[in-house]
Amino acid sequence: MAKGSKLSPIPYLIHNKKRTSVLIVSLSLFFVMIYVLGFFMGAVGEPLVNVCIDRFKRTFQVHVYVDNDSLGEYETREEWDELVRPILYEKKEELQKIVGDDEVFLVRGGYTILRLIVGNTSISSYYFENTDDMNRYSQIIDAKLVEGRWPENPGELVVDTNSYINVGEDILRFIGSSYKIVGKVETPVYAVYGLPIDTEHNYYYLVAPSDYQKVNGKYVEDHGFPCFYVEDYDTVMENTKGEIKSLDDIKQLVTIVATVLLATCVTVVFALHIRDRREEWCLFESIGFTSGQIYAMALKEMLICFVIAAGIGVLVSGAAVVVLDNFVIYPLGLGHIQLIRPKDALLAIEMYALIFALCQVPVFATIRGVQTVDNIEE
């Protein structure tokens, strides 16, 4: 061996394209599967938070208690309605004084559902007292009519396009067959609203704060308004904290199991890749290269494969989540899912580091078994 000779990783990679390609493809697929898995698990929880819960920052609900015994005698819901409405309007004025210039609506409410990747969640539907209130609410949620017309008569509704894609005409199965969808709107939030039918009597207030950090459910309660209960961003987040934590736990468990299985498969592929290098490394040692030099060459080969695989994995993952988001998730009416996912990318990199460490085991084991060329066949 000439003095100062070095072992280069390039010749092996060039002359063994098939084996090298198998290793790089395995590592790339590992990155892609970890990242895409994180994307799909995100598609389970993100619509719940981003669209279903964040909408309470635009408007929140204030429910009040009315003592029916104080209303006097009544026999039908219609008679009850006539007695309670003056009280509700009086309380609305009281609430309006507390929130200042922010909009306060007296609405009647129902609910429909949103189908998530896993399970369902409920979405409130609002029925306004008049078209002026309904139009102001449309401005608050940035709703733009894209099909049909605005409600004009009792029982007519508009629905946002994503909700309609997600649930379709089943919206009316939950709201009631007496209602009719007459228009569709585009808006950043899920929205089903319109004008009430006479038999709708579930009253509450809808507050549209210009600054949610200042005016929220706690602010209203602290200023002495007799709330029965409120539904704002903080209370809804608190109520769904367990559900969100369960989704996070499921995501973590699935990710860990998938990562362990994938890491094991990739490590086995690499071990098979290294096993066939034993005789080659014996020859290197026979002509004077040390175990340290052989290991340095193997380390460089691994680094080159891992770097190339990571680059391919990033490109394929990016393309995969864009395709899945536009052709699988969005057509379900769940909006767009976050495409750039630093936590999932970091997890894939951490798992790469783990696999890289595990791959040292077959390398060291093979180097320790290296013999000179004279003893290879013994």
Side-chain angles (χ1 to χ4, degrees):
M1 180 184 70
K3 186 176 180 180
S5 298
K6 294 183 179 180
L7 288 172
S8 172
I10 303 301
Y12 179 84
L13 298 177
I14 292 176
H15 296 297
N16 294 271
K17 294 184 179 68
K18 185 174 181 180
R19 288 184 178 181
T20 303
S21 298
V22 169
L23 179 60
I24 291 175
V25 168
S26 299
L27 291 168
S28 300
L29 287 176
F30 174 81
F31 189 101
V32 172
M33 293 180 75
I34 292 298
Y35 195 85
V36 171
L37 176 63
F39 173 81
F40 262 118
M41 295 307 295
V44 173
E46 286 178 20
L48 178 64
V49 176
N50 296 344
V51 186
C52 300
I53 297 178
D54 279 358
R55 66 194 176 97
F56 283 96
K57 290 180 179 178
R58 290 176 179 256
T59 57
F60 64 89
Q61 302 171 13
V62 178
H63 298 253
V64 295
Y65 173 74
V66 176
D67 184 5
N68 289 333
D69 292 337
S70 66
L71 297 177
E73 295 184 1
Y74 60 90
E75 295 183 357
T76 65
R77 293 292 295 182
E78 288 72 20
E79 291 177 353
W80 175 88
D81 196 79
E82 291 179 4
L83 293 172
V84 79
R85 285 172 66 82
I87 298 174
L88 293 174
Y89 272 104
E90 182 180 333
K91 290 183 180 293
K92 180 191 174 191
E93 294 300 322
E94 181 182 346
L95 180 58
Q96 186 69 70
K97 291 179 182 178
I98 292 173
V99 301
D101 295 332
D102 292 336
E103 293 277 8
V104 177
F105 304 104
L106 176 62
V107 300
R108 305 181 221 187
Y111 79 95
T112 184
I113 67 163
L114 178 72
R115 296 190 177 107
L116 304 174
I117 297 294
V118 177
N120 301 323
T121 189
S122 61
I123 299 293
S124 297
S125 54
Y126 303 132
Y127 315 123
F128 291 88
E129 293 291 279
N130 51 66
T131 55
D132 288 340
D133 285 357
M134 184 187 67
N135 292 336
R136 289 202 301 276
Y137 175 74
S138 297
Q139 294 174 356
I140 290 168
I141 64 170
D142 298 322
K144 296 177 177 58
L145 189 69
V146 294
E147 184 179 329
R149 59 177 176 83
W150 292 107
E152 299 172 354
N153 304 304
E156 294 183 341
L157 305 172
V158 290
V159 57
D160 76 281
T161 51
N162 282 334
S163 291
Y164 193 82
I165 291 170
N166 183 269
V167 187
E169 292 294 329
D170 279 354
I171 289 174
L172 300 179
R173 183 161 64 91
F174 295 92
I175 292 178
S177 58
S178 298
Y179 283 97
K180 179 183 179 182
I181 298 172
V182 298
K184 297 176 186 176
V185 297
E186 285 188 352
T187 171
V189 299
Y190 290 107
V192 180
Y193 61 100
L195 301 174
I197 56 176
D198 292 337
T199 56
E200 201 72 64
H201 303 291
N202 181 30
Y203 289 97
Y204 52 83
Y205 303 108
L206 200 61
V207 181
S210 55
D211 182 359
Y212 175 79
Q213 297 301 322
K214 178 183 176 182
V215 178
N216 48 43
K218 186 176 184 303
Y219 176 88
V220 170
E221 291 178 320
D222 289 346
H223 281 72
F225 188 76
C227 303
F228 184 52
Y229 68 93
V230 297
E231 284 187 279
D232 63 0
Y233 177 81
D234 296 323
T235 58
V236 173
M237 278 294 290
E238 182 65 27
N239 292 337
T240 56
K241 186 165 58 177
E243 184 178 351
I244 295 171
K245 185 178 184 304
S246 297
L247 292 174
D248 288 340
D249 290 343
I250 292 172
K251 176 182 177 180
Q252 185 175 5
L253 177 62
V254 171
T255 302
I256 290 173
V257 171
T259 299
V260 170
L261 292 175
L262 291 170
T264 302
C265 292
V266 172
T267 305
V268 169
V269 169
F270 186 79
L272 295 174
H273 173 80
I274 291 297
R275 187 183 64 180
D276 295 336
R277 308 290 302 281
R278 184 172 177 273
E279 292 187 2
E280 175 193 348
W281 292 355
C282 286
L283 290 171
F284 286 146
E285 187 158 296
S286 296
I287 60 177
F289 289 104
T290 65
S291 296
Q293 289 174 307
I294 296 172
Y295 173 71
M297 178 193 67
L299 186 64
K300 291 175 184 177
E301 290 176 4
M302 282 192 290
L303 285 172
I304 291 172
C305 291
F306 270 77
V307 170
I308 294 174
I312 295 173
V314 168
L315 293 175
V316 175
S317 296
V321 295
V322 168
V323 171
L324 290 171
D325 185 56
N326 286 283
F327 296 99
V328 177
I329 304 300
Y330 190 76
L332 294 177
L334 296 177
H336 289 292
I337 307 301
Q338 181 182 351
L339 299 180
I340 300 176
R341 312 183 66 82
K343 289 185 178 180
D344 294 320
L346 179 61
L347 175 62
I349 293 171
E350 289 173 347
M351 292 303 101
Y352 258 36
L354 174 62
I355 293 175
F356 189 83
L358 291 174
C359 287
Q360 306 308 305
V361 176
V363 173
F364 281 123
T366 303
I367 289 178
R368 288 192 62 182
V370 166
Q371 301 173 350
T372 62
V373 68
D374 297 330
N375 297 321
I376 287 176
E377 297 180 355
E378 292 183 4

